[in-house]
Amino acid sequence: HSSLRCSRITAELPPVGRLSSLLTDLGSSDWQPLRPRSCLANPCFASSLLTSFSVSEACRRGVYVPFGIGPTAVLASSVIYWSNPIKESLRRTVDLFAVRVGMAVQVLLAWRYCSGRALPLILAGYTAGGACYACGRILTVRGAVLAGHRVHCGVHVFANLGNLLILPYVV
């Protein structure tokens, strides 16, 4: 069982060694994305569709411009990438760019156009998503590819939750 193997390996290392091992795995490029026969079987494809809730809620509240534009770009790039994920591809590069710029813009929008409670909410969502990204990467590098991708879905869940939670605070 792979989780037993991983815990046994880290249990033998001193705390600094465990941290070093985690950081090494986090920074590793020695991984490949999950590639099931159908994109519908990929949990990351399915969870990337969650961004549509951020887009539709921004539309419903009449703030698509500016709050729905970034999520729309992320939705399009993520669906395109996760429909056939290839690690070294222009599609992945475009997706990562759209996600990073989209997140930065949403944080700036929350800071500039929302009341004070919004910024901590979006930052909490993005922080939780970042933790899921890190854990998913480590699991994938360690060979638990499906588990890693399931945990990666948390990025989509929590980032979109952060996007949704700021909308009631638009002033």
Side-chain angles (χ1 to χ4, degrees), residues 24-32 87 137-138 140-143:
T24 298
D25 289 347
L26 183 59
S28 175
S29 61
D30 187 23
W31 61 275
Q32 288 298 322
K87 185 170 120 182
R137 169 64 66 90
I138 291 166
T140 301
V141 165
R142 292 184 176 186

Side-chain angles (χ1 to χ4, degrees), residues 9-169:
I9 289 170
T10 56
E12 295 169 1
L13 296 174
V16 173
R18 276 184 252 150
L19 178 60
S20 177
S21 174
L22 290 173
L23 293 175
T24 298
D25 289 347
L26 183 59
S28 175
S29 61
D30 187 23
W31 61 275
Q32 288 298 322
L34 181 66
R35 301 207 43 196
R37 289 185 192 156
S38 167
C39 65
L40 299 176
N42 189 328
C44 292
F45 176 80
S47 66
S48 70
L49 297 173
L50 292 173
T51 310
S52 62
F53 290 112
S54 294
V55 174
S56 66
E57 186 62 13
C59 287
R60 189 184 76 73
R61 290 179 176 271
V63 292
Y64 177 78
V65 175
F67 288 90
I69 294 173
T72 299
V74 170
L75 175 62
S77 67
S78 293
V79 166
I80 290 168
Y81 173 68
W82 287 109
S83 65
N84 182 24
I86 298 172
K87 185 170 120 182
E88 303 294 332
S89 67
L90 179 60
R91 290 180 296 113
R92 180 170 184 263
T93 301
V94 169
D95 185 41
L96 290 173
F97 179 80
V99 167
R100 290 172 181 161
V101 170
M103 288 174 69
V105 168
Q106 291 297 99
V107 168
L108 290 172
L109 290 171
W111 173 68
R112 175 66 178 91
Y113 296 107
C114 297
S115 65
R117 291 184 175 180
L119 191 58
L121 291 172
I122 196 166
L123 292 175
Y126 288 0
T127 300
C132 291
Y133 181 89
C135 292
R137 169 64 66 90
I138 291 166
L139 286 167
T140 301
V141 165
R142 292 184 176 186
V145 178
L146 181 57
H149 282 72
R150 285 180 176 157
V151 171
H152 179 90
C153 292
V155 173
H156 304 158
V157 170
F158 289 113
N160 281 291
L161 184 59
N163 289 340
L164 289 167
L165 289 175
I166 67 170
L167 295 176
Y169 296 99

